[in-house]
Amino acid sequence: IDFGRPGTYEIEGLVKQNHYEFPIAFNRADPCIGKWNGRYYFIATNESGNVNLYIRESDTVAGLNDSKEYLVYDEVKGAEGNIVSKANHWAPELHIVNNELYMFFSSNIGDGWDVQSCIMKLKTGGDPKNYDDWEAPARFLDKNGKVLNTYYGGITLDMTYFSYNDRHYVVWSQRNFGKNAGTADLWIGEVTQDNPGQLISDPVMIVKCEYSWERNHQNVTEGPNVIIRDDKLYLTYSGGA
């Protein structure tokens, strides 16, 4: 095939496709796979009680299927950052920001129902599998240095990060049961690469849960993720139950 010349080519041969066991992990939800220093890492919500977060490491994506799990977040780790959280450790994501590895996740604050976005940084030169190589976690803050839900109230979760045109952003799902008919909506805000755990802008509702497919049994939009291809930015998310 001459890739420098447009045209139609007929080829014969055997297509080889890597095989992945399914599912890649049992009792795991909100999965995230990231690549860091040449190795792949898998992290997800632990559906066996929604407590504690574990990470897997492998040289290949397929190898994550039977890789050992390592504890990276629990009630004790939360306490290092003055986060009192015994349950609902949700939706962890691994993101590289300014050549440093961060984990964005949500944790229930206290004994009630108060799930909130948090962030935790891997120490420079640290091993993602090593519990002690993760710095103390922190509540995500707004531009005024207050916790993220101060302005709108409710719970915040499923936070993701992306950079575009040399600027840096986070998108998350926020639900205030007393506003907008109690929907979970998607919000966006700008951060800096030096401090990705605090907004430098006002939070803006970018997806208002309003369509019938977003209100299928549950009035929820959540799980945002960004795909950037050919200078176009696409935001994917989950709607309804």
Side-chain angles (χ1 to χ4, degrees):
I1 297 176
D2 182 357
F3 289 101
R5 186 180 65 184
T8 301
Y9 300 86
E10 182 176 335
I11 61 173
E12 295 181 355
L14 180 67
V15 176
K16 181 179 179 181
Q17 181 173 341
N18 290 333
H19 174 69
Y20 298 92
E21 294 292 335
F22 181 82
I24 197 169
F26 286 92
N27 298 319
R28 296 293 180 264
D30 310 315
C32 173
I33 294 178
K35 193 174 185 180
W36 172 250
N37 289 340
R39 309 204 77 186
Y40 292 96
Y41 293 90
F42 171 90
I43 196 165
T45 301
N46 174 18
E47 291 235 299
S48 298
N50 289 317
V51 295
N52 304 339
L53 298 175
Y54 300 87
I55 198 168
R56 300 182 184 191
E57 178 190 70
S58 176
D59 290 326
T60 64
V61 172
L64 293 168
N65 182 271
D66 55 5
S67 296
K68 180 180 177 180
E69 289 192 321
Y70 298 86
L71 177 70
V72 292
Y73 182 83
D74 59 4
E75 181 181 354
V76 176
K77 177 63 75 172
E80 292 180 11
N82 296 318
I83 298 174
V84 179
S85 178
K86 298 180 180 180
N88 297 331
H89 306 153
W90 286 350
E93 291 192 12
L94 301 172
H95 291 281
I96 300 171
V97 186
N98 200 21
N99 297 317
E100 301 282 359
L101 185 65
Y102 289 85
M103 185 172 81
F104 294 76
F105 66 103
S106 299
S107 196
N108 194 84
I109 309 300
D111 296 323
W113 177 251
D114 191 17
V115 178
Q116 300 298 335
S117 294
C118 303
I119 187 172
M120 187 165 69
K121 179 181 178 294
L122 182 70
K123 297 176 182 177
T124 302
D127 181 352
K129 305 188 306 299
N130 191 336
Y131 181 95
D132 293 327
D133 281 354
W134 288 94
E135 295 182 356
R139 295 278 301 274
F140 202 94
L141 304 177
D142 66 15
K143 70 174 187 179
N144 298 314
K146 299 181 179 180
V147 293
L148 184 60
N149 68 329
T150 301
Y151 168 73
Y152 191 73
I155 62 176
T156 66
L157 62 151
D158 290 3
M159 180 172 283
T160 194
Y161 160 89
F162 68 95
S163 61
Y164 189 66
N165 290 336
D166 296 324
R167 295 171 72 176
H168 306 269
Y169 304 89
V170 289
V171 182
W172 66 95
S173 178
Q174 185 154 348
R175 186 171 196 174
N176 185 328
F177 290 93
K179 295 182 179 180
N180 196 28
T183 59
D185 312 294
L186 296 187
W187 291 69
I188 191 170
E190 188 172 359
V191 298
T192 66
Q193 62 177 354
D194 294 324
N195 184 16
Q198 181 174 355
L199 298 183
I200 60 171
S201 70
D202 288 326
V204 176
M205 188 186 295
I206 192 173
V207 175
K208 185 176 182 179
C209 181
E210 57 184 334
Y211 298 109
S212 59
W213 54 271
E214 297 170 319
R215 292 169 170 255
N216 177 24
H217 298 291
Q218 289 287 336
N219 299 342
V220 171
T221 58
E222 60 185 8
N225 206 273
V226 166
I227 301 170
I228 299 175
R229 291 290 184 273
D230 299 327
D231 295 327
K232 292 184 174 63
L233 188 152
Y234 303 88
L235 177 71
T236 69
Y237 66 95
S238 173

